[in-house]
Amino acid sequence: MLTDYKIAILGGDARQLEVIRRLSEWDATLFLVGFDQLDHGFTGAKQLSIDEVEPEKLDAVILPVPGTNPKGVIDTIFSNQSLTLTKEWLSKTPEHCLVFTGITNSYLTQITQEANRSLIPLFDRDDVAIYNSIPTVEGTIMMAIQNTDFTIHSSEILVLGLGRVGMSVARSFYSLGANVKVGARKPEDLARIHEMGLTSFNIHDLKDHTHGCDIIINTIPAPIVSAAVIQNMPSHALIIDLASKPGGTDFRYAEKRGVKALLAPGLPGIVAPKTAGNILAKVITKILLKELGERSSF
């Protein structure tokens, strides 16, 4: 249980609602900032402004999945009020206070380091990334169906990258009857692709494999799907870029070439916010109990 834990949840989207709900069930005391437009309340949670929160009493601060922007501004989907996280505010929290975010950036990393607080980017964890690959795959399948006039079955699909998301995407599209090729760099990844029964190729040779492809699914956060790659693609082809912004696709050239290209980071929060929020809540609870210990038991 999280009895006597005091946690501030600053901004966020629909995923945070499930985090709030789950942490309330675990008996945490929650302070919600940036949720003033919600139609319903949560037991054990207080809606406050950032100035009303007493940071010196907090055990944890939970930021939205994107964290902050480069100037410290936090997304507040359920509020019109501007919300900014500063080093001065963080420095008022206790030394043991944990700061959770989905992803981090140079600003967030710097202010937590200067405030000497532990920053936990949840999406850097293997367990979160693997759990999130499930709704990501479902969302990718949905996008493929909605944006093509042919079946996934028997289509030619290129998956770029064999990370935690790429592996799940490749396996799922293969199970739907697609002819799947996977591009990677590392010899061990190429070997794993072969072991999975899929066709492998070196990502450096990507443009040699796009002539007859129907869908490219990119998971690599680097400029991989270049103009030279898109030039060889048939006009009916679809690009789904799952990499974090700005993605790895030359979207300008894709539009000029007449190839539909979609940037789709954060699919779990779009297609399954309840599941995505539940994943985050479970991991946050596990980390809190491990790092700070259980304070009360029943």
Side-chain angles (χ1 to χ4, degrees), residues 3-284:
T3 307
D4 295 331
Y5 277 94
K6 294 180 173 59
I7 302 171
I9 300 182
L10 310 183
D13 55 23
R15 285 171 285 193
Q16 299 299 76
L17 302 183
E18 187 64 19
V19 172
I20 294 168
R21 190 174 292 109
R22 290 300 301 268
L23 294 181
S24 293
E25 291 174 357
W26 278 74
D27 202 30
T29 300
L30 304 178
F31 305 104
L32 312 183
V33 181
F35 294 90
D36 50 274
Q37 292 183 350
L38 278 181
D39 294 332
H40 61 285
F42 293 91
T43 303
K46 298 179 181 179
Q47 294 197 31
L48 304 172
S49 69
I50 189 68
D51 296 330
E52 293 174 321
V53 176
E54 298 177 281
E56 62 274 5
K57 295 183 179 180
L58 297 177
D59 298 298
V61 175
I62 301 176
L63 302 175
V65 167
T68 71
N69 75 6
K71 295 184 178 180
V73 177
I74 297 171
D75 284 339
T76 52
I77 303 299
F78 301 104
S79 176
N80 290 325
Q81 299 178 7
S82 177
L83 179 58
T84 303
L85 184 67
T86 66
K87 181 189 72 174
E88 290 72 25
W89 190 88
L90 271 183
S91 298
K92 295 177 183 178
T93 62
E95 291 185 3
H96 70 265
C97 183
L98 303 178
V99 181
F100 294 93
T101 183
I103 58 177
T104 188
N105 56 32
S106 57
Y107 174 87
L108 185 54
T109 299
Q110 181 177 344
I111 65 169
T112 50
Q113 288 177 346
E114 291 178 353
N116 195 27
R117 298 296 178 266
S118 295
L119 177 65
I120 302 174
L122 294 168
F123 279 22
D124 285 353
R125 293 173 56 97
D126 284 339
D127 52 357
V128 173
I130 293 170
Y131 286 137
N132 264 326
S133 71
I134 300 170
T136 297
V137 168
E138 292 189 10
T140 305
I141 294 170
M142 176 191 72
M143 293 182 71
I145 294 171
Q146 290 177 339
N147 291 280
T148 59
D149 58 0
F150 50 85
T151 62
I152 292 174
H153 190 281
S154 299
S155 61
E156 300 292 330
I157 295 182
L158 303 185
V159 177
L160 310 183
L162 195 73
R164 296 159 298 195
V165 172
M167 182 177 293
S168 296
V169 167
R171 183 186 295 116
S172 297
F173 275 82
Y174 177 71
S175 69
L176 290 173
N179 300 316
V180 179
K181 295 181 180 180
V182 185
R185 288 192 180 92
K186 298 178 181 177
E188 57 267 33
D189 287 342
L190 296 172
R192 177 59 67 189
I193 295 164
H194 176 76
E195 182 273 332
M196 293 169 65
L198 308 177
T199 302
S200 66
F201 65 91
N202 193 296
I203 201 72
H204 294 296
D205 301 324
L206 173 58
K207 66 180 181 179
D208 298 328
H209 294 269
T210 59
H211 179 72
C213 77
D214 297 306
I215 302 175
I216 288 181
I217 302 171
N218 178 51
T219 69
I220 302 172
I224 296 296
V225 189
S226 64
V229 169
I230 297 170
Q231 185 179 31
N232 292 331
M233 296 178 65
S235 59
H236 74 265
L238 172 67
I239 300 170
I240 302 176
D241 199 323
L242 303 178
S244 55
K245 292 182 180 179
T249 300
D250 188 335
F251 291 97
R252 181 202 63 81
Y253 183 76
E255 182 178 5
K256 181 179 180 180
R257 174 74 171 71
V259 173
K260 183 179 288 188
L262 306 172
L263 180 60
L267 272 182
I270 298 171
V271 301
K274 183 178 179 67
T275 298
N278 192 22
I279 291 168
L280 296 176
K282 285 182 178 180
V283 175
I284 289 170

